[in-house]
Amino acid sequence: YRCINRLDRDTTGALILAKNPYSAAVLSAQMKQRQIRRTYLAIVQGIAPEQGTIDAPIGRAADSTIERQVDFANGESAVTHYERLAVRNDHSLLEIHLETGRTHQIRVHMGYIGHPLPADYLYCPVYDHFKRQPLHSYQLNFRHPLTGKDLCFTAPTPHDMTRGF
């Protein structure tokens, strides 16, 4: 098996696994050509704007192999689209679509616009509502590597996110 998309630690939800080398090559090409649509649900601190696009490059933070940051001088292109679905308890539920797939992209971009994910051990270690970052890979849309049929898979939202919001 080959993992086609990855999820950050503590992120729940759907993944694409290829069962053979041919499927892995086709699905990897779809990912590289941005033909796989990834939809995430995230709960962020504060009242986020109704919708927006964050176009800010991401690179490694100085002296860290793990932490990332917005870096206009040396970062790689990163684009995140979001829409606010609901507001409750000074938190916003967002639907997020990634145009690119940088490490920690959602976590970094949401913090960059002033709406970090709570309980994010690296970027916002505030654990008063959640025990882990409330980030969920909700839906994946892509073409089957052999039949070309359009597929859509969803993963149920975990209880800790629904209870905490």
Side-chain angles (χ1 to χ4, degrees), residues 120-134:
D120 182 334
Y121 72 96
L122 195 56
Y123 302 106
C124 184
V126 176
Y127 299 96
D128 52 355
H129 284 88
F130 298 94
K131 301 295 183 217
R132 65 164 185 95
Q133 67 202 16

Side-chain angles (χ1 to χ4, degrees), residues 41-50 54 82 84 86-94 96 106-135 161 164-165:
L41 295 176
I43 298 172
V44 299
Q45 291 183 341
I47 311 305
E50 286 187 23
I54 306 162
Y82 68 91
R84 189 181 71 211
V87 173
R88 194 167 294 127
N89 301 323
D90 198 38
H91 287 80
S92 299
L93 173 64
L94 304 180
I96 297 174
I106 293 171
R107 297 160 60 196
V108 170
H109 273 174
M110 292 299 110
Y112 175 70
I113 65 166
H115 298 285
L117 280 74
D120 182 334
Y121 72 96
L122 195 56
Y123 302 106
C124 184
V126 176
Y127 299 96
D128 52 355
H129 284 88
F130 298 94
K131 301 295 183 217
R132 65 164 185 95
Q133 67 202 16
L135 181 57
M161 282 182 66
F165 187 70

Side-chain angles (χ1 to χ4, degrees), residues 40-123:
Y40 289 81
L41 295 176
I43 298 172
V44 299
Q45 291 183 341
I47 311 305
E50 286 187 23
Q51 61 183 11
T53 296
I54 306 162
D55 186 350
I58 294 176
R60 287 187 196 272
D63 300 325
S64 178
T65 58
I66 300 171
E67 190 176 352
R68 302 298 196 265
Q69 65 185 12
V70 168
D71 182 347
F72 286 96
N74 301 307
E76 295 182 86
S77 173
V79 179
T80 303
H81 306 280
Y82 68 91
E83 179 181 348
R84 189 181 71 211
L85 302 177
V87 173
R88 194 167 294 127
N89 301 323
D90 198 38
H91 287 80
S92 299
L93 173 64
L94 304 180
E95 179 177 296
I96 297 174
H97 297 277
L98 296 179
E99 200 170 297
T100 54
R102 304 290 171 228
T103 300
H104 302 173
Q105 180 172 325
I106 293 171
R107 297 160 60 196
V108 170
H109 273 174
M110 292 299 110
Y112 175 70
I113 65 166
H115 298 285
L117 280 74
D120 182 334
Y121 72 96
L122 195 56
Y123 302 106

Side-chain angles (χ1 to χ4, degrees), residues 4-5 26-36 38:
I4 303 303
N5 65 317
V26 171
L27 290 165
S28 292
Q30 286 182 33
M31 184 66 83
K32 186 178 251 185
Q33 295 165 9
R34 300 180 180 166
Q35 296 172 338
I36 296 176
R38 296 164 288 165

